[in-house]
Structures are given as structure tokens and as C-alpha cells.
Amino acid sequence: MNQNLAFADYAVFIIYFIVVTTYGFTIYHKRKKDEQDAKAYFLAEGNLTWWAIGASLIASNISAEQFIGMSGEGFFLGIAVAAYEWLAAVALIIVAVWFIPVYLKNKIYTMPQFLKTRYNESTALIMAVFWLFLYVFVNLTSILYLGAVAINGLAGGEYLHVIMVGLALFALLISLGGMKVVAYTDVIQVAVLIIGGLVTSYIALTTVGQYFGVGENAIAGFKVLMREAPEHFKMIIPKPTATSSQLDIDKYLTFPGLMSYLAGIWIINLNYWGCNQYITQRALGADLQTARTGILFAGMLKLLMPLIVMLPGIAAYVLYQNGHLPQLVGGKDGAYSAVLTFLPTGLKGLSVAALTAAIVASLAGKVNSISTIYTLDIHKKYIQKEAGEKQQVNIGRIAVFAAMLLAVLFTWNDILGIGGVGGFTYIQKYTGFISPGVFAMFFLGMFWKRTTGTAAIVGVILGFVLSVLFNEYAPMLFGNETLLYTAYPNGKGAFEIPFHICMGLSFFFTMLAMIAISFAGPKVNPKAFEIDSEMFKVKPQTTVLIVITLLVIVALYVKFW
């Protein structure tokens, strides 16, 4: 099947590009009078609406790692990977009710600022550097690489570097206008990616129905998927036994059954949504009720995401197993692009626009966060302390250019080996190297007044060291025998612990160390935040949103447990 795009596809994409850039320019023009105001540039002048906050959160979160990476995991694992999205909705409820009030009451602009206010300068500086490296060399690079590979496959396979540069320039165009331009263009981006994603899923299901003789009916196609790949519709991956195949072992290593729920997946979600620069920049653009509503709106949108980004992967698996798909380009990460080849002219352009929207929105959100952390937490504090408003904005823009340039350079020939690991797993695994220590530090810092600055520094360093040890040196720690029930042969003569469980172990021991160290300090740390029960009270309409979201999640788990 010819994967090249037709004129109508390019026309749809160009219309999308014109709409987004025109709207972004209009928003930028409206706030041009505040051009030299650093708060306007980094925090959207503190007046984002709830729908802009929610849409912007989703647009920055849903990117190539989901469209390409999660579709790939859907191809490989099945519906189990939807746990990342559905439990993210629960995590967003926790963040909206308990985390955001702490941030807003203490006027937190950035995550390093939180650490300085609660702990000390050293902790803030260490984490600012950690985050900058993570955002540039894990997040930006993987999103840019996966997105360029996917669109390149649809465009004929000869334009990888041109597409990579084009995506980077498009994201720069959006992000240089500041947080308000990013957030409000994200409203269009999230609409495009949801509509385009739903169209792709619908076509994938009708294509399955057509090939299996049940008609071009999406519901019938879904039933075919459940019939042809029943193992792909189980939320729990069973633990391997001595007779398990290497494929079953690899699946468990990626998503280790119930242990994923007891260990890593909660740390991933609560750290990502509750201790992440993207959240604070949007939440600080509103009062508490607006921020809560926006975050809960994002949580409800997360319930839709598996339908958009995971289901096409399962469809690709069934079609591939039955000889209706050619060899996947790029392994499992080629599943989404393969499904797009079935789309008719015009709709293929819409899906490429949706994919581009996801990539560009996420890139723009991340480079904006990078520029905020660098400008406010490093440059102004340690390099140019007297920098004025205009200088801060200009420094932020230079940081945006520098971050994107580094991302392009490191993805040019896939120096980091993203393609070999699998995009989604690459991000989750290497983000997981710092997540346990960071989440322990934030959680104890918010809710335990005794936590000390020394404990925080030890926690973030120990969490990273333990994560590396558990992930990379399992044989040295536990021996080359399967005495530890989480260790299984990885096919290379060694043993490997699933990275979710590595995160759980690292978090557990880091928490113990931080608590022990804090007991050596005063009963109440002078820098502890004031917390009262009034902060966490929610309005009736907020309770309704929470109950609806939880009921939907329970129904989904009852269906697919």
C-alpha cells in the first residue's frame, strides 16, 4: 500500500498549520504590551481559564511517546498499557485536591523554587540541573525522534531530517510567544489530536471488520480484536514460570502484573503530574478552583486516550498476525504509522495533523518549562542576578533555542538509541531513574513538617543511585539465580528486574533513609509549609467531577480485569 501523502492530505495539513500559527500570533499580539514582563512570558499573566489549563495539560502530555510509543506497547502488550492513562486520571484527582493547594498558597512558580522554599538552595540547584538534563536528553529527544520517524514513514521515507527540523521550528514558533501562546494554541492542538486520533481508531476498527468479513463496522471490528487477541485485553500481565517463553518474560519485564500497581506506576504518575514543571506553570495561571477544575478536566480527557493512542496498536497486531499488514518499519513503534496507511486521502492528512499537533504541543510545552527553570532558577540566581524583566524574557528565548538545538543534534542519527529500546519504554525507564527520589522529596516536603534539607539532598541522590543499581546491576546485587521473584532471564545471559519494581524498591529505601535522617533534626522544620484542612476542601461541582471519573475507571477495570 502506498504510504505517500496525496495533495489533499498536504492541503489539510497546511490548513491546520495556518490556523494554529494565526491563532498563536493573535494571542501574542494581544499580550504584546506585556512583552517584557517575565511573569507574562513564563506564567501566562496568571489568568488562564479552566478549559485552557486542562487542554494544555493534555496537549503537552500526549505526544509522539503516546501516539507512537503507546501504540507500540498496545501492539506488544495490549490493553494493560492503558493503566498509564487511566491511573493518571486518579493521580490528577490527587494532585488537584491535595498538591495544588500547597503550591498555590506558597506562590510556587517552578519546582526548584519549591525546593528552595521548603529545603535549601543546594537541593534546588541539584534538581534544576537534573530536570534540565531529563527534559532535554530524554523528553525532547524521544518526542522529536519518534515523531519524525512516524511522519517520515507516511511521507515516503526520504525526509527524516527535514521533518525533524520542521517539527523543531514549528515548536519554536509556538513557544517563543510564551506560556499564554503555548496554552491557548494547545486548545486547538488538543482538539485536532483528539478528532484525528478518534478518526484513526475508527478507521482501524472498520478495517479489521472489513478484513475479517464482519462489515465496515467499528463495534464489530472491536469484537474481532477481542476474539483474535484475547490476551491483549487483560489488564494484568501474568508472572512468568519456568516454562514461559521469552516473549512472555519480556512482557512481564515491561509491565510486571500486579507489582506494577503496587510499585512503579503510581510513582510515575504522581511524580509526573504532581511534581512536574508543566503542571505548576499551568496551574499557577489561575485561582485554586479554576486550577482544580482544569486539572480534573484533563483527568477526564485522559480516560479517552487509550482509545486514541493504544487501540490502533492492538488493531495493527491483529492485522499483522493475519497477514494484512506488511513488515512493520521500526518494530512495534511502527504500528501506528502502519495503521495510518489504511486511511483514505484527506483523512490521512488529518491524522498527520493530529500527530504533528501532539508532537509540537508537547515540544513547545517542554521547552517553555526548560526556559523557565533555566532563567528563573539558574541564570538569574547564579549568573546574572540583576537581570531585568526584558533580559529575563530574552534569556528564556535563548534557552528555548539552545534546548531545541541540542535535541535536534542528539536525535539526528539516534545517538541515544531510542529506536532500539522502544520510545514509550525509553521515556518511562530513564525518567524512572530520578522519579523515586524526587517524589519522596516532594511528598515528605509537602506533608511532613519534620523533613530536613539534608534528608532531601540524600533522598534525591540516593534515589538516583538505587535506581541505577537495581536497573543495571541486578546480577551483582542478587546473583545469577532466580531467587528474587522479580528477576528473570532477559535473553542475554543475565537477569533483569522490571523497571517498575526497581522504582518501587528505590522509593521504599529512599523514604526510609529520608525519615531516619529527619528524625535527627527538629520536630518541626522552620521551613515547613503551613497546612490546614481548609486548603483541601472541595466544592460540590468538584466532587461530582471526581465521582464521575472514578466510576468510569472502576467500570473499565471491571470489564478488562
Side-chain angles (χ1 to χ4, degrees):
M1 184 173 293
N2 184 13
Q3 295 188 25
N4 291 323
L5 302 177
F7 174 78
D9 296 312
Y10 287 110
V12 170
F13 181 83
I14 290 170
I15 291 171
Y16 149 74
F17 177 83
I18 291 172
V19 169
V20 172
T21 52
T22 302
Y23 184 61
F25 183 76
T26 302
I27 296 295
Y28 172 75
H29 231 9
K30 285 183 177 179
R31 61 160 291 267
K32 196 170 183 180
K33 58 182 173 50
D34 298 316
E35 176 64 23
Q36 313 308 335
D37 185 339
K39 184 179 180 184
Y41 181 79
F42 294 115
L43 297 171
E45 303 146 53
N47 62 3
L48 292 180
T49 59
W50 66 266
W51 46 269
I53 292 171
S56 188
L57 287 175
I58 294 300
S60 289
N61 169 242
I62 301 299
S63 184
E65 67 185 91
Q66 270 78 18
F67 270 100
I68 306 306
M70 187 168 280
S71 260
E73 295 301 336
F75 181 94
F76 178 57
L77 288 176
I79 201 171
V81 75
Y84 281 104
E85 303 299 297
W86 292 338
L87 293 185
V90 180
L92 283 164
I93 291 172
I94 295 171
V95 170
V97 175
W98 287 288
F99 286 27
I100 287 302
V102 178
Y103 291 143
L104 291 180
K105 185 172 183 177
N106 292 278
K107 294 180 171 57
I108 301 300
Y109 285 23
T110 69
M111 294 295 90
Q113 181 202 353
F114 171 95
L115 298 175
K116 176 192 173 185
T117 304
R118 178 60 181 82
Y119 294 121
N120 51 51
E121 289 272 7
S122 298
T123 307
L125 179 60
I126 290 170
M127 281 313 306
V129 173
F130 260 125
W131 272 311
L132 288 177
F133 272 90
L134 179 70
Y135 290 169
V136 173
F137 296 108
V138 175
N139 295 113
L140 283 184
T141 53
S142 57
I143 292 166
L144 191 58
Y145 175 79
L146 290 172
V149 167
I151 296 175
N152 181 53
L154 290 166
E158 300 175 357
Y159 310 101
L160 179 65
H161 293 134
V162 174
I163 292 169
M164 193 177 291
V165 172
L167 289 172
L169 290 176
F170 193 0
L172 284 174
L173 186 65
I174 298 297
S175 59
L176 289 176
M179 188 66 240
K180 190 167 187 177
V181 175
V182 171
Y184 279 102
T185 54
D186 278 351
V187 175
I188 297 178
Q189 306 275 44
V190 81
V192 172
L193 74 87
I194 288 176
I195 293 170
L198 287 173
V199 166
T200 302
S201 295
Y202 176 80
I203 296 295
L205 292 175
T206 56
T207 300
V208 169
Q210 181 183 13
Y211 275 114
F212 283 85
V214 296
E216 294 187 6
N217 182 296
I219 296 175
F222 183 76
K223 291 178 179 178
V224 169
L225 294 187
M226 295 186 69
R227 184 190 73 209
E228 294 293 319
E231 74 285 355
H232 273 56
F233 286 90
K234 300 294 182 184
M235 293 301 299
I236 304 298
I237 303 297
K239 191 174 80 171
T241 65
T243 59
S244 294
S245 67
Q246 186 62 49
L247 178 63
D248 289 335
I249 292 170
D250 290 341
K251 287 183 177 181
Y252 188 78
L253 287 171
T254 303
F255 202 92
L258 284 172
M259 290 304 298
S260 291
Y261 294 88
L262 297 175
I265 200 164
W266 284 110
I267 299 169
I268 290 170
N269 273 311
L270 287 172
N271 178 68
Y272 180 88
W273 294 106
C275 314
N276 196 313
Q277 186 68 26
Y278 319 139
I279 302 299
T280 55
Q281 279 188 259
R282 287 150 179 81
L284 281 176
D287 57 70
L288 176 58
Q289 183 57 33
T290 305
R292 274 181 169 160
T293 305
I295 292 170
L296 293 175
F297 175 52
M300 297 184 81
L301 290 177
K302 288 296 279 184
L303 300 178
L304 282 174
M305 291 304 110
L307 177 62
I308 295 172
V309 300
M310 177 270 301
L311 198 57
I314 300 179
Y317 173 81
V318 171
L319 291 170
Y320 180 76
Q321 291 297 316
N322 288 274
H324 301 306
L325 271 183
Q327 184 69 31
L328 297 182
V329 178
K332 62 184 181 182
D333 283 341
Y336 194 80
S337 296
V339 168
L340 290 185
T341 63
F342 291 104
L343 268 64
T345 299
L347 286 182
K348 192 181 295 184
L350 177 62
S351 291
V352 173
L355 181 57
T356 304
I359 297 163
V360 169
S362 196
L363 288 173
K366 285 173 177 59
V367 292
N368 188 271
S369 296
I370 289 167
S371 71
T372 303
I373 290 176
Y374 175 76
T375 304
L376 300 183
D377 296 300
I378 294 180
H379 195 94
K380 192 175 188 320
K381 287 183 180 177
Y382 302 102
I383 299 174
Q384 194 177 2
K385 295 182 179 180
E386 303 303 319
E389 299 283 336
K390 180 178 179 180
Q391 288 174 306
Q392 289 179 54
V393 171
N394 289 334
I395 291 163
R397 288 178 173 152
I398 292 170
V400 164
F401 272 111
M404 195 64 79
L405 178 61
L406 283 172
V408 171
L409 290 175
F410 276 85
T411 53
W412 197 256
N413 291 311
D414 194 18
I415 295 173
L416 301 174
I418 299 166
V421 177
F424 191 74
T425 300
Y426 174 86
I427 293 174
Q428 302 305 328
K429 181 173 182 178
Y430 291 104
T431 300
F433 275 33
I434 71 166
S435 294
V438 173
F439 182 58
M441 183 171 56
F442 271 78
F443 181 76
L444 290 177
M446 278 191 273
F447 302 112
W448 193 41
K449 293 185 177 182
R450 192 161 187 165
T451 315
T452 64
T454 302
I457 293 175
V458 170
V460 70
I461 295 174
L462 181 64
F464 176 75
V465 171
L466 288 177
S467 293
V468 172
L469 286 175
F470 289 135
N471 274 282
E472 305 297 332
Y473 300 103
M476 182 188 302
L477 296 173
F478 304 109
N480 285 326
E481 298 179 6
T482 56
L483 295 177
L484 185 69
Y485 72 96
T486 56
Y488 290 94
N490 65 10
K492 300 177 181 178
F495 288 80
E496 184 177 354
I497 303 175
F499 69 88
H500 278 184
I501 296 174
C502 290
M503 292 177 66
L505 290 170
S506 177
F507 177 73
F508 176 76
F509 288 115
T510 299
M511 287 281 285
L512 284 182
M514 289 185 66
I515 290 170
I517 293 170
S518 295
F519 271 121
K523 288 186 177 180
V524 176
N525 189 318
K527 287 196 165 189
F529 292 138
E530 288 298 324
I531 293 178
D532 60 76
S533 58
E534 292 296 318
M535 294 170 56
F536 307 117
K537 287 185 177 180
V538 296
K539 293 185 177 180
Q541 59 266 38
T542 303
T543 303
V544 170
L545 290 176
I546 291 171
V547 171
I548 291 172
T549 302
L550 292 176
L551 286 175
V552 172
I553 293 171
V554 169
L556 289 167
Y557 268 86
V558 169
K559 173 65 177 176
F560 297 111
W561 185 261

